[in-house]
Amino acid sequence: MSEKKKMTIIVFSGDMDKAYAAFILASSAAAMDMDVTMFFTFWGLNLLKKGGLQKAPLSKMNMFGLGKMMMQKNMEDANVMSLEALFRDARELGVKMLACSMTMDVMGISKEDLVEVDGYVGAVEYLSHAKESQINLFI
Amino acid sequence: MSEKKKMTIIVFSGDMDKAYAAFILASSAAAMDMDVTMFFTFWGLNLLKKGGLQKAPLSKMNMFGLGKMMMQKNMEDANVMSLEALFRDARELGVKMLACSMTMDVMGISKEDLVEVDGYVGAVEYLSHAKESQINLFI
Amino acid sequence: MSEKKKMTIIVFSGDMDKAYAAFILASSAAAMDMDVTMFFTFWGLNLLKKGGLQKAPLSKMNMFGLGKMMMQKNMEDANVMSLEALFRDARELGVKMLACSMTMDVMGISKEDLVEVDGYVGAVEYLSHAKESQINLFI
């Protein structure tokens, strides 16, 4: 019987800034010895595509890509890891990553399009994790 | 004394894609025998307007309505129910639907403008459900 | 040992409408005698800037600022407090306000740029509150 605290994050958005928030929260929680499950659905699935983390747009002030470049420069200056490094970090810390099988169908995404994940599942599987978790976020 | 797991969803957004996520999660949880309460507020109230589910815009890539048409086509091809069918499904499964009375005032929406709901309530009523629930999402 | 119910809100968005939702929920929960912690991060930090509450944009229908003016007019007509009044109200009710130190670095925001808060902290501090809370929202 596990006494670990648990967190789930529904990653609905594919935006770079929200992806940063999601991965930083997930990695921090895993480093605190929590069980963390991320459920990627709708636009969030784009982050799991091969090469997708580099392509994530910024949700705000994204005029001509300037906002995104400035954000990335500021991230580097502040010693914040890149999305790719945050993703690898989360993986190594044991964060479980699940892809939403329904939206894969809807958006025409195949398993081959995605990086390696821990499962292709539906809402029921997500809910079975969330109902046993202390923290559940929709990002 | 009920041992049922509980979920609440604040439906803040009126966008079609987020509405899909909200209704699919709500119906799936209700089908798993959870108590589910949806609290529609701000733009989410537009979904409760008579005919509002057909008018919901897509939050992303909605150029000239093309994105929305493609999404609906892909939804059909993937055998995903329409928003209207998902809404009816959620109703039949016992999902409780509450309209935020404060934002009805602010946005000039009357009870007659809305489909039948289970109550017109404020934040306190929402919170009284949420504090007893295992899953609370803001969509 | 406290038996109080607890709520946390991650305020990621800097939009006026989402700020309203966040402050109304926070104040209502505090008035119900819950412990409430707001964690302002990314664009949400703009709300904590001196004068920032007046500048918050509306997330939808913000054409030429018209949407925002109409929303504020309707808020007044419906006797809803201004964001500034809601903020003061939340403060007086004991809502704890934390600024995300990492995004302060990334966005080049100094402590002097912000109104008085209860701390400048990272994701770990947020998570330590959230894992003991019944309600955790990402707005």
Side-chain angles (χ1 to χ4, degrees):
Chain A
M1 196 182 98
S2 168
E3 291 291 332
K4 278 193 178 186
K5 296 278 185 176
K6 294 182 179 67
M7 177 165 76
T8 71
I9 300 176
I10 296 179
V11 185
F12 175 93
S13 170
D15 294 334
M16 189 186 76
D17 41 0
K18 292 195 172 172
Y20 262 109
F23 285 119
I24 289 170
L25 287 166
S27 289
S28 302
M32 291 166 75
D33 202 32
M34 295 177 69
D35 269 337
V36 183
T37 302
M38 302 179 85
F39 180 64
F40 294 82
T41 188
F42 284 82
W43 319 108
L45 274 177
N46 289 332
L47 301 172
L48 291 183
K49 283 185 186 166
K50 287 164 183 159
L53 292 173
Q54 290 92 332
K55 289 184 200 148
L58 192 62
S59 70
K60 298 263 168 185
M61 305 197 295
N62 199 4
M63 291 176 300
F64 312 112
L66 193 67
K68 183 172 171 179
M69 278 167 55
M70 281 178 58
M71 177 67 102
Q72 285 172 326
K73 174 80 169 57
N74 291 350
M75 289 281 183
E76 278 171 37
D77 293 349
N79 291 315
V80 178
M81 289 190 285
S82 68
L83 274 185
E84 293 88 336
L86 280 168
F87 184 86
R88 283 193 304 270
D89 210 40
R91 285 310 240 157
E92 280 163 23
L93 286 161
V95 172
K96 186 179 279 188
M97 309 225 177
L98 303 175
C100 175
S101 51
M102 187 207 78
T103 39
M104 286 175 68
D105 283 353
V106 170
M107 298 169 77
I109 298 171
S110 69
K111 294 179 183 180
E112 289 69 37
D113 296 328
L114 302 183
V115 297
E116 199 186 334
V117 295
D118 297 296
Y120 311 91
V121 303
V124 168
E125 173 81 6
Y126 157 75
L127 289 163
S128 70
H129 287 279
K131 70 190 174 66
E132 306 299 337
S133 296
Q134 284 69 43
I135 309 177
N136 297 303
L137 302 175
F138 183 97
I139 296 185
Chain B
M1 196 183 99
S2 169
E3 292 289 333
K4 276 192 179 187
K5 297 278 185 177
K6 294 183 179 65
M7 176 165 77
T8 71
I9 299 175
I10 296 180
V11 185
F12 175 93
S13 170
D15 293 334
M16 187 185 78
D17 41 1
K18 292 195 171 172
Y20 263 108
F23 285 119
I24 290 170
L25 286 166
S27 290
S28 301
M32 289 164 75
D33 202 32
M34 295 177 68
D35 268 337
V36 183
T37 301
M38 302 179 85
F39 180 64
F40 294 82
T41 188
F42 283 83
W43 318 109
L45 275 176
N46 289 332
L47 301 172
L48 291 183
K49 284 185 186 166
K50 287 164 184 160
L53 292 172
Q54 290 91 333
K55 289 183 200 150
L58 192 62
S59 70
K60 298 262 169 186
M61 306 197 294
N62 198 4
M63 293 177 297
F64 313 112
L66 193 67
K68 183 171 171 178
M69 277 167 54
M70 279 177 58
M71 177 68 100
Q72 285 173 326
K73 175 80 168 57
N74 290 349
M75 290 281 184
E76 277 170 40
D77 292 349
N79 291 315
V80 178
M81 288 190 286
S82 68
L83 274 184
E84 294 87 337
L86 280 168
F87 184 87
R88 282 193 305 270
D89 208 41
R91 286 310 241 157
E92 279 162 26
L93 286 161
V95 172
K96 186 179 279 187
M97 308 226 177
L98 303 174
C100 174
S101 51
M102 188 207 79
T103 39
M104 286 174 67
D105 283 353
V106 169
M107 297 170 78
I109 297 171
S110 69
K111 293 179 185 181
E112 288 69 36
D113 296 328
L114 302 183
V115 297
E116 198 186 335
V117 295
D118 298 296
Y120 312 91
V121 303
V124 169
E125 174 81 7
Y126 158 75
L127 289 163
S128 71
H129 287 280
K131 69 189 174 68
E132 308 300 336
S133 296
Q134 284 69 43
I135 309 178
N136 297 302
L137 303 175
F138 182 98
I139 296 184
Chain C
M1 197 183 96
S2 166
E3 292 291 333
K4 277 192 178 187
K5 296 278 184 176
K6 294 182 179 66
M7 176 165 76
T8 72
I9 299 176
I10 295 179
V11 186
F12 175 93
S13 170
D15 294 334
M16 188 185 78
D17 41 0
K18 291 196 174 173
Y20 262 108
F23 286 119
I24 290 170
L25 286 166
S27 290
S28 301
M32 290 164 75
D33 202 32
M34 295 177 69
D35 269 338
V36 184
T37 301
M38 301 179 86
F39 180 65
F40 294 82
T41 188
F42 284 81
W43 319 108
L45 275 176
N46 289 331
L47 301 172
L48 291 183
K49 284 185 186 167
K50 288 163 182 160
L53 292 173
Q54 291 90 332
K55 289 183 199 149
L58 192 62
S59 70
K60 297 263 170 184
M61 306 197 296
N62 199 3
M63 291 176 299
F64 313 113
L66 193 68
K68 183 172 169 178
M69 279 167 54
M70 281 178 58
M71 178 67 101
Q72 285 173 327
K73 175 79 169 58
N74 291 350
M75 289 282 184
E76 279 170 38
D77 293 350
N79 291 315
V80 178
M81 291 191 284
S82 69
L83 274 185
E84 294 89 336
L86 280 169
F87 184 86
R88 283 193 304 273
D89 208 42
R91 285 311 241 156
E92 281 162 23
L93 286 162
V95 172
K96 185 179 279 185
M97 308 226 178
L98 302 174
C100 175
S101 51
M102 186 206 80
T103 39
M104 287 175 68
D105 284 354
V106 170
M107 297 170 78
I109 298 171
S110 69
K111 293 180 184 181
E112 289 69 38
D113 296 330
L114 302 183
V115 299
E116 199 187 334
V117 295
D118 298 295
Y120 311 92
V121 303
V124 168
E125 173 82 5
Y126 157 75
L127 289 163
S128 71
H129 287 280
K131 68 190 175 65
E132 307 299 336
S133 297
Q134 284 70 44
I135 309 177
N136 296 302
L137 302 175
F138 183 98
I139 296 185

